[in-house]
Amino acid sequence: MRFYFVLFFLITAVYAQAQDPMGGVGNRFRGIKNVGSGNDSLARRDKFEDSITISYRYLDTARNYKLDSSINDLTQYYPIPAEYNYTGNFGNAAQSYLFAPRMKSGWDPGFHAFDSYKYTIENARFFTATRPYSELNYLLGTRSEQFIELMHTQNRGPNWNIHFSYRLLNSPGIFLNQKSSHNSYLITNWVQSVNRRYRNYFILVANKLQNTENGGITNSAFIDSADYDRRDYIPVRLGGDSRYSADFFNTNVTTGNKYADFNALMRQQYDFGRKDSLVTDSTVVPLFFPRVRLEHTIRYSKYTFLFTDAAPAADYYREFYDLTLAGGSSVFSKRDDWKEMVNDFSIYTFPDEKNTQQFIKLGAGVQNLAGTFDTLQRENVLELIGARQKKNYYNIYGHGEYRNRTKNQKWDMMADGKIYFAGMNAGDYEAGASIRSLLGKKIGSLLLGAQNVNRTPSFIMQNPISSFYFRGNEDPGLKKENITHLYAVVYQPLLKLGLTGHYYLMTNYSYYTDFYKINQYNAIFNVLQIGANKVFEAGKTKQWKWRTEVYFQQVVGGAPLHIPAIYTRNRFGYEGKLGYPKLNIAMGFEAKYRTNYKGDGYSPVLGQFFYQDDQTVQYKLPNIAAYLNFRINSFKAFVRAENLNTFRKLGTNWGFSNNNFAATDYPYPGLLIRLGVFWGFVN
């Protein structure tokens, strides 16, 4: 079925483009200018014949963005953001140190520990490029860690673009049984008819995420024992004692999480309005001013969430999950499968025909869901059975939006809302409003916004039919979570200073209290988060820089929530050309630190971080890395030595063994060397 569904989308898209492959928005296509910041130089190459202008936008935004070729921060090319912590290895479960609750209503299957490694519909880019453009990115790390990302985009005429991206991540890890192997691909396609009335957007995205789970080391004190100088000899709780393998093509995961998703989306738009033309000495440029737009979006998605253990340790599951495995059990597994179909219809009106970035949008949609589980609810008793069970759900919702980006580009206003009228998530809603102002190069920019979300807790927390809803959870009768979010962002370019503020007011906060038990905190509490980032410059040419980010967070109230009070990241170094016109170089040291706090534990079977109040997860020293990055034209290279802070004498040996911890029993590795090559090609 998946094949015919994709084939239908492709045929529709190609048919739409065939109306006129070279007409339409030629004037707009040729007129794109690079307004990127920093060292971005993709808009112009050394030779005129190699010049290129390239921009992109997202499905639900009208703003164009430029590719950034700056080199002062490797993490912009890296799936894990700088402010995230992860359970010991590149590709393992990750979460942010900075508090950011899920601000989305409606159905949520509940698995988000690996979201940072995924391609998504929301982050799919639609490009416009004057010439075919490709990127080849390759990063090699300690113990055969490899990260590959390929991208190609080209316009097949001024009103048709295709784009393809592929990502592969494979990392064996330093400790036992923490190998990750992730594969993702993304295809986008947009076309516009010659008369500029019809547009078609198509997205195809899929992810296969495989992560071996070791359950953490059996005793955190082993980190400081000279008997375990070899980190892959420290015993772990899951997966046995299989040794490190550098086989790049071995992606087998015998104990761990295997998540997969496939998504296909097509959006069609048709405009009604007024035709016009712009006549010059040699050409006639067709114009079209829309007043009403009809839009239909169809989306099909398929999700698999699987935990499997080929050689389960009965004592582990009895101690942490209160499970007694059947005698002689050779495989333990839990699996949820979902299929999702969404049909959404919308109508736009444009109050000002000459400003398409001011509009009012109203729409409604139907979401059909089909789940397949390992469990069945019968007479209020949760029974394990051999056959898998199916359950169908639906949602009917409405949504509205107002946007106005003024013609002078100084003000950008938005208000939107969504409400679920009937179905599984009836009563859920989300509403938000924001205003952004670009007040000038000297004054800077300002963003103010507010959101309110009323959402049903994740499916695996509130529905006993899920395979990941364990016995021992009396039905907690979870109420809908309600979250209010106020935020402000200020940037002053002359001072190179940015300020951020976030205030959250929450009630009915749902959380895990240990490896599988669910609870809800019904009282109101709030979280305050303030951040500042600034660039300090020194030297005659201001090429010595200190880039600093500092965040302060505070939970007010008795909520079961622990977050670090302070998180900071600092980069000290040189950024310049060293006298060579085509060379851009950035080199120096990076230090990251967060205050000690009772960080979340991690449940490998559920793939969830959970609240714990027993142990403080300590940073012995700030994480320190040395880096040397350079760019010559479109070629970029990154060299990093990470976790230099772990150097010490252990027993009679000097080495990198003073490990920090990400979570209880989940240490970070010692010294890591990473070499990255990122190359852009104009074809």
Side-chain angles (χ1 to χ4, degrees):
M1 177 178 176
R2 181 188 302 180
F3 171 80
Y4 292 110
F5 191 83
V6 174
L7 183 63
F8 166 73
F9 274 7
L10 289 174
I11 291 173
T12 305
V14 171
Y15 172 77
Q17 197 280 334
Q19 295 182 36
D20 189 333
M22 298 299 293
V25 295
N27 189 57
R28 177 181 60 83
F29 169 71
R30 291 188 294 271
I32 293 175
K33 297 180 180 179
N34 191 316
V35 294
S37 60
N39 299 324
D40 196 345
S41 64
L42 286 173
R44 183 176 180 84
R45 300 295 298 274
D46 292 335
K47 296 182 180 180
F48 178 78
E49 61 269 21
D50 287 336
S51 65
I52 181 175
T53 56
I54 183 170
S55 65
Y56 65 90
R57 59 178 291 267
Y58 300 103
L59 183 65
D60 289 314
T61 65
R63 185 186 296 269
N64 283 322
Y65 300 89
K66 306 298 179 182
L67 292 176
D68 186 3
S69 60
S70 60
I71 59 170
N72 59 64
D73 186 7
L74 174 63
T75 59
Q76 67 177 326
Y77 305 100
Y78 209 59
I80 304 178
E83 69 275 10
Y84 270 53
N85 68 324
Y86 54 95
T87 55
N89 183 37
F90 183 32
N92 288 176
Q95 67 171 350
S96 178
Y97 283 128
L98 305 180
F99 181 70
R102 185 169 177 81
M103 300 289 293
K104 187 175 181 180
S105 60
W107 170 72
D108 171 31
F111 302 88
H112 300 292
F114 299 91
D115 281 0
S116 60
Y117 306 105
K118 296 168 57 175
Y119 287 144
T120 64
I121 292 285
E122 292 75 18
N123 291 328
R125 296 181 293 179
F126 292 92
F127 283 89
T128 299
T130 55
R131 297 195 60 171
Y133 176 75
S134 304
E135 287 185 355
L136 171 61
N137 302 335
Y138 179 70
L139 186 144
L140 177 65
T142 301
R143 281 205 163 185
S144 302
E145 172 188 294
Q146 298 188 69
F147 174 65
I148 299 171
E149 191 161 36
L150 310 175
M151 189 273 277
H152 175 77
T153 184
Q154 66 178 64
N155 271 63
R156 306 296 294 176
N159 60 341
W160 179 19
N161 178 274
I162 56 176
H163 157 242
F164 168 78
S165 289
Y166 172 76
R167 174 185 289 174
L168 182 147
L169 187 161
N170 191 300
S171 181
I174 302 298
F175 296 88
L176 281 176
N177 305 327
Q178 56 177 195
K179 179 178 182 177
S180 59
S181 179
H182 305 329
N183 284 269
S184 303
Y185 68 84
L186 168 68
I187 299 171
T188 64
N189 179 94
W190 68 261
V191 295
Q192 182 171 257
S193 62
V194 61
N195 60 13
R196 304 181 67 177
R197 290 179 180 268
Y198 176 80
R199 280 166 301 280
N200 182 293
Y201 301 93
F202 173 70
I203 302 174
L204 188 68
V205 58
N207 301 279
K208 184 179 181 182
L209 310 178
Q210 298 188 103
N211 183 76
T212 302
E213 299 284 3
N214 63 18
I217 61 177
T218 57
N219 190 333
S220 296
F222 289 158
I223 287 293
D224 299 316
S225 171
D227 295 334
Y228 294 105
D229 184 59
R230 280 280 306 270
R231 294 319 199 188
D232 57 354
Y233 278 73
I234 297 179
V236 296
R237 294 190 173 95
L238 287 175
D241 59 356
S242 58
R243 295 300 164 199
Y244 156 77
S245 172
D247 184 358
F248 179 74
F249 298 100
N250 180 12
T251 61
N252 186 37
V253 171
T254 57
T255 300
N257 288 299
K258 299 181 179 181
Y259 297 167
D261 63 79
F262 170 85
N263 305 270
L265 178 145
M266 184 172 68
R267 173 171 292 178
Q268 300 181 85
Q269 297 175 336
Y270 190 85
D271 292 350
F272 298 90
R274 180 175 64 87
K275 294 191 297 182
D276 204 341
S277 61
L278 178 64
V279 180
T280 66
D281 293 340
S282 57
T283 61
V284 177
V285 179
L287 301 175
F288 181 74
F289 300 101
R291 299 308 302 267
V292 175
R293 173 177 296 166
L294 302 181
E295 176 182 278
H296 173 240
T297 303
I298 183 172
R299 172 175 175 171
Y300 171 79
S301 299
K302 183 178 180 181
Y303 309 90
T304 295
F305 304 103
L306 168 66
F307 175 85
T308 183
D309 190 343
D315 291 344
Y316 175 83
Y317 292 99
R318 182 168 53 252
E319 178 181 357
F320 294 105
Y321 293 92
D322 196 24
L323 289 176
T324 301
L325 302 185
S329 177
S330 59
V331 177
F332 172 79
S333 67
K334 294 287 184 180
R335 177 170 178 165
D336 279 4
D337 290 286
W338 289 94
K339 293 181 180 178
E340 176 190 20
M341 178 70 79
V342 177
N343 274 280
D344 188 286
F345 298 87
S346 300
I347 183 170
Y348 297 69
T349 62
F350 299 90
D352 183 349
E353 67 173 16
K354 295 184 179 181
N355 183 12
T356 58
Q357 296 190 57
Q358 180 185 7
F359 61 82
I360 300 171
K361 174 183 177 181
L362 295 174
V366 178
Q367 179 188 44
N368 295 103
L369 297 162
T372 305
F373 315 99
D374 294 334
T375 53
L376 176 67
Q377 182 77 16
R378 289 180 178 172
E379 298 178 357
N380 297 322
V381 177
L382 193 62
E383 301 176 357
L384 295 176
I385 60 175
R388 306 197 73 215
Q389 304 300 309
K390 296 183 178 180
K391 183 75 173 178
N392 294 323
Y393 303 92
Y394 76 95
N395 280 309
I396 299 175
Y397 62 87
H399 57 88
E401 182 177 349
Y402 170 75
R403 290 194 186 184
N404 183 11
R405 189 180 185 193
T406 57
K407 293 179 182 179
N408 60 12
Q409 309 295 302
K410 289 187 175 182
W411 295 92
D412 195 344
M413 294 169 281
M414 184 183 75
D416 61 355
K418 185 177 185 179
I419 185 169
Y420 286 77
F421 298 115
M424 178 172 62
N425 299 106
D428 282 19
Y429 67 82
E430 57 191 73
S434 67
I435 181 168
R436 183 195 306 267
S437 176
L438 301 175
L439 302 175
K441 294 182 179 180
K442 294 184 178 181
I443 301 176
S445 62
L446 170 68
L447 171 64
L448 298 173
Q451 296 173 280
N452 181 252
V453 175
N454 200 60
R455 64 182 300 271
T456 304
S458 300
F459 188 87
I460 63 169
M461 298 183 76
Q462 54 89 29
N463 201 316
I465 198 174
S466 170
S467 310
F468 295 88
Y469 190 100
F470 278 59
R471 291 186 181 187
N473 270 314
E474 299 296 334
D475 184 3
L478 299 183
K479 301 178 182 178
K480 292 184 183 295
E481 299 177 347
N482 191 275
I483 309 169
T484 298
H485 177 207
L486 307 177
Y487 58 93
V489 180
V490 178
Y491 182 70
Q492 215 298 318
L494 294 181
L495 298 177
K496 296 187 177 179
L497 172 66
L499 300 173
T500 62
H502 296 269
Y503 174 78
Y504 298 94
L505 182 67
M506 305 182 64
T507 188
N508 297 333
Y509 173 66
S510 303
Y511 63 101
Y512 284 94
T513 62
D514 65 6
F515 285 77
Y516 69 94
K517 292 182 180 178
I518 302 163
N519 207 341
Q520 189 172 63
Y521 184 77
N522 300 117
I524 296 175
F525 70 97
N526 55 67
V527 178
L528 176 65
Q529 182 186 106
I530 300 172
N533 63 86
K534 180 170 173 55
V535 180
F536 296 93
E537 298 174 323
K540 293 182 179 180
T541 56
K542 297 184 178 180
Q543 292 178 323
W544 292 96
K545 299 182 188 293
W546 170 23
R547 298 179 181 270
T548 182
E549 304 169 47
V550 182
Y551 299 90
F552 170 78
Q553 304 179 117
Q554 181 68 52
V555 180
V556 181
L561 175 65
H562 292 312
I563 52 179
I566 296 175
Y567 168 79
T568 181
R569 179 188 183 211
N570 297 271
R571 284 166 286 162
F572 310 86
Y574 172 87
E575 298 177 23
K577 295 181 176 293
L578 292 177
Y580 298 93
K582 294 186 178 181
L583 173 68
N584 289 275
I585 191 167
M587 56 184 177
F589 291 90
E590 177 184 88
K592 295 194 292 186
Y593 180 75
R594 51 98 175 140
T595 52
N596 295 329
Y597 74 116
K598 294 179 179 179
D600 289 345
Y602 177 66
S603 174
V605 176
L606 275 64
Q608 306 290 325
F609 291 92
F610 63 84
Y611 171 78
Q612 65 89 20
D613 198 38
D614 298 324
Q615 299 185 45
T616 297
V617 181
Q618 293 188 343
Y619 250 34
K620 300 177 181 179
L621 291 170
N623 273 354
I624 299 175
Y627 61 90
L628 171 62
N629 311 329
F630 68 88
R631 176 168 63 86
I632 301 174
N633 293 335
S634 62
F635 175 82
K636 299 182 288 288
F638 299 84
V639 181
R640 285 176 64 89
E642 301 183 6
N643 301 325
L644 299 177
N645 52 286
T646 61
F647 186 71
R648 69 170 173 179
K649 186 177 183 180
L650 184 62
T652 59
N653 299 322
W654 290 92
F656 295 88
S657 59
N658 194 27
N659 307 68
N660 283 326
F661 278 76
T664 303
D665 298 331
Y666 284 94
Y668 281 123
L671 178 66
L672 295 177
I673 304 295
R674 289 187 167 118
L675 171 64
V677 176
F678 299 79
W679 207 337
F681 302 89
V682 179
N683 306 117

